[in-house]
Amino acid sequence: MRNRDIEAAYTYHEATQHNERRLLESPHYLDYDNQPQPLKIYTTLQPIPLVGERSTLEVPALEAISNSEGSAREDSREKIPDLCGLSRVLYLSAGITKQKPYPGGVISFRAHPNTGALYHIDLYLVCEDLPDLPAGVYHFGPHDFALRRLREGDHRAVLIDASGQEPALAHAPVIVVSVSTYWRNSWKYQARAYRHCFWDAGTLHANFLAVAGAEGLAPRVVIGFADRPVEHLLGLDPKKEGALTLVPLGWSEADAPPLRDVPEIHFETAPLSPTEVDYPAIRQMHAASSLESGAEAAAWRQAARDDRSPTVEGRVYSLEPLANQEAPSESIEAIIRRRGSTRAFEREASISLEQLATLLDRASSELAADFLACGSEPLIDFYLIVHAVEQLPAGAYYYQREAASLELLREGDFRNAAGRLGLFQELPADAAANIYCLTDLDRVLKTWGNRGYRAAQLEGGIRGGRLYLAAYAQRFGATGLTFLDEEVVGFFSPHAEGKSVMFLVAVGHSASRSGLSRRT
């Protein structure tokens, strides 16, 4: 089984690490005349409009982010999504929420953060007959907020079989599949874009889980599935696209129809750009982390991982996050509509210890995913460089999730170091704090094979997306950044020795327009 040849993940991870020498020697440049459009547009399929006028989802954001009750079915009553509910979930996870003019035209920004605003993640729906949508396989088009039907009929059995009969999928009336079109991101990020598949799918899923959970649809992230049947069902080109996740929505008493043969489909799509550049390392890593059958997927989910409690050696600061009744009550919908990526931080503006505690608490809360058994330790650890948090000395920290505390690893002013680690940018130097998502890659790969690499990157993206939402819910800003891989690990070592970086989010108060103009 290719998935167990974990040398592939090590090779890819090392080859796509950032360091100063590689960055200086890289001949890559951004060819704007060849920039791909950030959309997959089917040119021959008719749009099925989604519901634009909907009631507002009033669940408070800080409650929705960590709503584990909304991520698990509590009874056997049917919960069948309708087109209005699906429209809300799609809009607030992957829809266009802002448009800004610029000299060459208009930039459309989506509901979720995305590297380079290149938006390479697409969503597909596979459903039974719904109250106002016939059974079928559909593609979601953000550009006109519409669905396009690729297949008629109920094909959920393909996904259920590919997953090895994952229970969460078995009675879901709707299953949402996320997909990356590699070139739409690799135009800028080259072979490193395979990491971005899961970072960007992760931030999307942070929104998706919060909104679908608030709707009572019991979403759960499933990444254990045989890849080829899923990609065949959607009509994907495996040389250019890859399926990433399956997410069930709702619960139906009826069984899915029996599995049947599915013919190939090919529909014309608009060209992305004049020329597409191939990065074989992306395809190779996707193939190396693929599962061959439902049986392999079922066995993959049963992998056991020994949870280890790290020894605490440094000074510890207890954290007291806000209770839901004390927290800001702005709704998850309002936060997603307002959210952006902070372009400059006010260096002198601090956040409170309580705000940081709330941020970490919500971001690290239980995640409904097939690679995380209920109550098991996350794959992701939080490490922090703190610059300006009230009642907390500036320094490097490790977040003790179970103890709700921060362990001081090293005290000092590390603004210059943070700027360097964040790829020589001012943002991480000026932020109130930088939160790094690290994982023990050796343990992950030995447990889950190459597909564990997908899981760790995806969890990093989801945790990062939650950091975004929790920051904006508390009226300060956030931005995701790339990083110098080995230097980050070295900075937090010996505590972080042997770990690898999966994601980085800087948080703090946004600089005023006047301050921003002075800085630029």
Side-chain angles (χ1 to χ4, degrees):
M1 293 183 291
R2 290 178 297 179
N3 183 55
R4 284 293 162 187
D5 181 10
I6 60 176
E7 192 58 36
Y10 286 121
T11 298
Y12 172 81
H13 189 67
E14 193 285 326
T16 58
Q17 292 194 60
H18 280 330
N19 61 48
E20 186 173 11
R21 178 184 59 79
R22 284 180 178 173
L23 292 170
L24 290 173
E25 294 178 356
S26 173
H28 182 63
Y29 68 98
L30 297 183
D31 181 1
Y32 287 99
D33 291 335
N34 196 41
Q35 182 175 356
Q37 66 170 338
L39 294 161
K40 183 175 188 178
I41 298 177
Y42 289 93
T43 57
T44 61
L45 299 178
Q46 293 301 309
I48 302 168
L50 288 162
V51 180
E53 294 295 328
R54 304 174 303 273
S55 60
T56 302
L57 185 62
E58 296 291 355
V59 177
L62 289 175
E63 181 180 331
I65 295 166
S66 58
N67 180 19
S68 59
E69 292 183 0
S71 299
R73 185 169 58 85
E74 296 177 336
D75 55 46
S76 59
R77 289 177 297 177
E78 283 199 327
K79 179 68 175 180
I80 310 295
D82 59 16
L83 198 59
C84 183
L86 288 174
S87 297
R88 192 196 324 273
V89 172
L90 292 171
Y91 175 71
L92 294 176
S93 57
I96 293 172
T97 54
K98 298 184 184 72
Q99 290 187 312
K100 293 185 178 180
Y102 74 104
V106 174
I107 298 177
S108 296
F109 293 97
R110 309 277 179 91
H112 68 103
N114 193 280
T115 50
L118 296 172
Y119 303 112
H120 56 118
I121 307 299
D122 282 289
L123 297 180
Y124 294 76
L125 276 65
V126 181
C127 65
E128 64 176 22
D129 280 321
L130 302 178
D132 40 12
L133 187 69
V137 177
Y138 297 88
H139 173 262
F140 169 56
H143 62 291
D144 59 359
F145 198 56
L147 300 175
R148 284 167 175 79
R149 187 162 62 185
L150 308 179
R151 296 186 189 272
E152 296 182 0
D154 188 342
H155 295 277
R156 290 173 298 148
V158 174
L159 306 182
I160 295 167
D161 183 71
S163 74
Q165 309 299 313
E166 158 62 39
L169 301 177
H171 283 270
V174 178
I175 302 172
V176 179
V177 188
S178 67
V179 170
S180 170
T181 302
Y182 307 135
W183 170 237
R184 280 155 54 187
N185 193 263
S186 62
W187 168 79
K188 180 174 183 179
Y189 297 104
Q190 303 173 276
R192 192 173 167 99
Y194 194 66
R195 300 190 189 197
H196 295 205
C197 291
F198 300 95
W199 296 357
D200 295 328
T203 57
L204 185 156
H205 281 72
N207 288 19
F208 194 106
L209 294 173
V211 175
E215 293 272 5
L217 295 176
R220 178 179 176 82
V221 178
V222 174
I223 68 168
F225 57 86
D227 297 71
R228 192 64 199 112
V230 175
E231 293 167 358
H232 173 77
L233 177 68
L234 305 181
L236 304 184
D237 182 347
K239 295 179 182 178
K240 300 179 179 182
E241 303 168 290
L244 308 177
T245 67
L246 313 177
V247 180
L249 294 179
W251 191 81
S252 171
E253 290 183 355
D255 292 327
L259 184 67
R260 61 184 188 274
D261 290 337
V262 179
E264 288 191 5
I265 52 173
H266 299 284
F267 295 106
E268 182 179 336
T269 58
L272 295 177
S273 64
T275 304
E276 294 188 29
V277 179
D278 181 36
Y279 291 94
I282 295 175
R283 288 184 287 103
Q284 291 164 5
M285 186 59 211
H286 191 69
S289 57
S290 291
L291 304 178
E292 300 295 328
S293 66
E296 186 182 357
W300 179 85
R301 270 195 302 278
Q302 298 304 313
R305 184 170 62 96
D306 59 320
D307 293 324
R308 304 176 186 176
S309 299
T311 302
V312 180
E313 297 179 354
R315 194 188 322 160
V316 173
Y317 293 82
S318 296
L319 300 176
E320 291 290 341
L322 291 167
N324 280 336
Q325 62 270 25
E326 301 169 341
S329 60
E330 191 173 5
S331 73
I332 185 64
E333 180 164 347
I335 292 300
I336 290 174
R337 286 175 175 272
R338 182 164 60 79
R339 185 213 59 80
S341 288
T342 303
R343 298 304 177 198
F345 289 111
E346 184 58 62
R347 181 181 276 241
E348 304 306 321
S350 61
I351 63 175
S352 71
L353 183 58
E354 191 175 54
Q355 287 175 318
L356 180 63
T358 303
L359 194 72
L360 296 172
D361 174 74
R362 299 310 195 269
S364 64
S365 62
E366 186 175 343
L367 171 60
D370 64 343
F371 56 89
L372 293 176
C374 183
S376 69
E377 285 294 306
L379 307 188
I380 293 298
D381 295 320
F382 288 153
Y383 287 79
L384 293 82
I385 298 180
V386 169
H387 302 317
V389 176
E390 296 165 8
Q391 304 172 53
L392 202 60
Y397 291 84
Y398 172 75
Y399 178 54
Q400 298 276 359
R401 188 177 73 97
E402 290 298 323
S405 62
L406 285 172
E407 177 187 355
L408 179 63
L409 305 179
R410 192 159 32 125
E411 188 172 347
D413 181 345
F414 298 117
R415 288 190 184 273
N416 290 339
R420 177 182 174 84
L421 296 177
L423 226 61
F424 314 101
Q425 298 181 75
E426 289 185 348
L427 280 163
D430 291 344
N434 294 279
I435 304 169
Y436 302 80
C437 299
L438 273 67
T439 194
D440 186 336
L441 195 56
D442 287 343
R443 291 176 63 206
V444 167
L445 296 180
K446 288 173 182 175
T447 302
W448 286 294
N450 294 318
R451 206 169 188 92
Y453 190 73
R454 299 191 193 186
Q457 297 283 8
L458 180 68
E459 186 183 330
I462 294 174
R463 303 288 181 195
R466 285 178 168 181
L467 288 169
Y468 261 100
L469 295 174
Y472 276 83
Q474 297 183 88
R475 289 284 171 176
F476 55 92
T479 192
L481 299 165
T482 194
F483 42 80
L484 299 177
D485 296 70
E486 291 184 350
E487 289 196 28
V488 171
V489 176
F491 178 85
F492 289 109
S493 290
H495 193 283
E497 188 173 354
K499 295 184 179 181
S500 298
V501 195
M502 300 288 107
F503 207 83
L504 164 60
V505 178
V507 298
H509 289 282
S510 300
S512 65
R513 291 187 178 275
S514 59
L516 179 58
S517 63
R518 286 197 301 273
R519 292 169 58 79
T520 56

